[in-house]
Amino acid sequence: MKKLIALLLALLMIVSCCAAFAEAVEAEESAPLTREELEIYLDSLRPVALEDEGLSVATYDDGSTFADFSGGVLQIADETLTDSTAVLSALLYEEQADPRGMYLGATLDEVLAAYPNDNPLLSGSYYDAVLSISGDKPEIAVAYLLRDGQRVKTIAYSVYSWQPDGVEIWGVYYTLNQGIVNSIFVGSSGVMTEEDALEELHGISEMQEISEYFAYPASMDDGEGLAPFQREDLNLGRFGETVSDFLDLDAEAMIAAFGPAPVDEWTEDSDGTFLRLLQWDGVSLLLNYDAQKQFIAVDTLTINDDVLDGPRGVRVGDTLDSVIFRFRHGDTFVDGSTLSLYSDGQTHPYGYGVLNYSPESAELSYAFDLEDGRSIVWHNTFVAGILQSMSLLLR
């Protein structure tokens, strides 16, 4: 399966491993970050910048001075860069490794592996999770991430360093897009009073106690160890305790979540029953009613914009590979463009996962049967490897 998926998705894969990473990540790199480590690293950038033929230095109206070279932009303590100039921080470019051997383009998993992580499931809230807290005054190391559901946006590895004039905050800060690092900042981010620092650390410690949300496991290599699409994946969030999953959706739940529907249309079927279509920007719901317009069951939920989580936190805008690698996947080609990710041959209750692929577009479908004989189908449409629309159907 690993080779088949890699070949099939070659034009779409954006996650790559840096060759230098394997050499840079050593056992010592799993130790907590320290201010000394960061100061040594920033000092090491000074001679590199001085030797760079393209080096330029500029001082701005606020008195800050920056040195721009091929490895990044350094904030420096003097108006010129010399052998003795203190380097305060660095915003790195593509060619420059950070203190733990990370480059722009590194993956989320690579970053997490380079530091201590006491929270491998990334348990926390929908918006953040604490990875580790270690040490005590005069130096405390803290690691946490900020996210939007399954999408990690920022990872902060901070060091709170007690000094005579207050608590200095040092660290390495990563921003990510679709699981790929797109910026790395190293250095000091300011000074705060001890009272403010302790309050901030207390807030992070309280975050550590939250475990209402977690990162769904994903695997490019061992997809057989992941669960297939199943009933537990129908929880869509956002609807609170009144709606446990897709099967509980009705008009009232959707209106409570999205407000009155701009489109609310009834269509009578040939047998006298009714279909009701409710539409909002980016999402629509089709419901079944009997001849007296009494609600029977949900029919179809369609999401065309990044307004609602789908199964396992999948959202419009996600990449094809990131979706596939959250579910079980096998290695059977049905024909030249269709891959059976998994199947029991009968679709009950184990279901199936099927990918119909071309470089321009792809259709990814999963299904399983309910105990009452009805089926759940989850259909996803991709354009150029990016999820454009998904539909959950009860059949």
Side-chain angles (χ1 to χ4, degrees):
M1 175 59 192
K2 295 188 288 291
K3 292 182 179 179
L4 296 175
I5 287 288
L7 290 172
L8 191 61
L9 304 180
L11 296 178
L12 304 175
M13 290 289 288
I14 63 171
V15 179
S16 61
C17 296
C18 299
F21 173 76
E23 299 177 2
V25 177
E26 300 172 354
E28 63 187 29
E29 293 177 338
S30 63
L33 196 66
T34 66
R35 174 176 173 167
E36 180 183 15
E37 178 184 352
L38 295 174
E39 290 179 326
I40 291 173
Y41 171 78
L42 291 173
D43 284 345
S44 75
L45 295 179
R46 182 176 53 249
V48 178
L50 285 169
E51 294 176 1
D52 192 290
E53 294 181 356
L55 174 66
S56 64
V57 179
T59 300
Y60 295 88
D61 293 341
D62 62 359
S64 60
T65 302
F66 294 89
D68 192 338
F69 75 112
S70 61
V73 180
L74 309 180
Q75 184 176 9
I76 58 179
D78 304 324
E79 291 189 357
T80 59
L81 183 62
T82 69
D83 289 336
S84 60
T85 302
V87 179
L88 306 177
S89 66
L91 181 66
L92 303 182
Y93 291 156
E94 222 171 87
E95 302 292 325
Q96 182 63 51
D98 78 353
R100 297 291 172 106
M102 297 296 102
Y103 290 85
L104 298 186
T107 67
L108 170 63
D109 287 343
E110 288 173 341
V111 173
L112 293 175
Y115 297 87
N117 184 5
D118 300 329
N119 184 9
L121 294 179
L122 308 187
S123 297
S125 76
Y126 189 88
Y127 301 102
D128 47 45
V130 177
L131 303 175
S132 64
I133 301 176
S134 62
D136 203 346
K137 293 191 297 184
E139 189 164 292
I140 298 176
V142 172
Y144 62 90
L145 60 82
L146 303 178
R147 62 188 173 194
D148 184 10
Q150 296 296 301
R151 299 174 181 173
V152 174
K153 300 292 187 179
T154 303
I155 311 179
Y157 295 94
S158 298
V159 178
Y160 291 73
S161 177
W162 267 253
Q163 301 297 319
D165 59 345
V167 181
E168 294 185 4
I169 313 301
W170 291 71
V172 184
Y173 306 92
Y174 303 90
T175 64
L176 301 93
N177 181 33
Q178 293 287 358
I180 303 298
V181 173
N182 58 17
S183 77
I184 304 174
F185 175 86
V186 182
S188 173
S189 59
V191 181
M192 60 175 59
T193 66
E194 180 175 23
E195 180 182 3
D196 288 343
L198 291 175
E199 182 178 351
E200 189 167 281
L201 287 168
H202 178 70
I204 295 173
S205 179
E206 288 185 330
M207 285 167 52
Q208 198 173 27
E209 303 302 316
I210 300 173
S211 58
E212 62 192 30
Y213 193 82
F214 63 92
Y216 287 99
S219 175
M220 184 187 304
D221 298 322
D222 61 352
E224 291 299 319
L226 300 175
F229 178 52
Q230 55 190 349
R231 174 66 189 266
E232 290 79 0
D233 295 320
L234 299 185
N235 187 339
L236 307 174
R238 184 164 181 172
F239 296 101
E241 297 180 357
T242 58
V243 176
S244 60
D245 61 28
F246 165 69
L247 295 175
D248 288 334
L249 280 183
D250 57 19
E252 288 70 27
M254 288 291 287
I255 291 171
F258 292 96
V263 176
D264 188 347
E265 298 177 344
W266 294 80
T267 302
E268 186 174 5
D269 207 344
S270 58
D271 61 359
T273 60
F274 289 86
L275 288 173
R276 182 183 181 186
L277 175 65
L278 298 102
Q279 288 185 325
W280 297 260
D281 287 342
V283 61
S284 64
L285 183 68
L286 188 64
L287 303 168
N288 287 302
Y289 291 78
D290 65 17
Q292 288 72 46
K293 291 190 175 181
Q294 297 297 309
F295 177 64
I296 300 175
V298 65
D299 184 281
T300 305
L301 173 69
T302 300
I303 305 170
N304 296 310
D305 203 351
D306 188 5
V307 295
L308 183 65
D309 288 7
R312 299 195 194 178
V314 171
R315 287 161 57 177
V316 169
D318 285 351
T319 60
L320 175 59
D321 55 332
S322 74
V323 178
I324 287 177
F325 295 135
R326 291 183 205 178
F327 296 85
R328 181 170 297 178
H329 42 266
D331 60 356
T332 303
F333 277 105
V334 178
D335 58 39
S337 63
T338 301
L339 182 69
S340 175
L341 302 175
Y342 65 84
S343 175
D344 69 346
Q346 299 176 350
T347 72
H348 177 80
Y350 188 80
Y352 65 79
V354 174
L355 172 66
N356 292 290
Y357 172 84
S358 75
E360 295 78 21
S361 63
E363 303 289 331
L364 177 64
S365 298
Y366 295 95
F368 66 89
D369 287 352
L370 299 170
E371 292 181 357
D372 60 10
R374 297 179 298 173
S375 297
I376 297 292
V377 179
W378 179 36
H379 186 72
N380 300 272
T381 300
F382 296 80
V383 176
I386 303 298
L387 182 59
Q388 302 295 315
S389 175
M390 72 173 90
S391 295
L392 278 166
L393 307 95
L394 175 61
R395 294 292 181 262

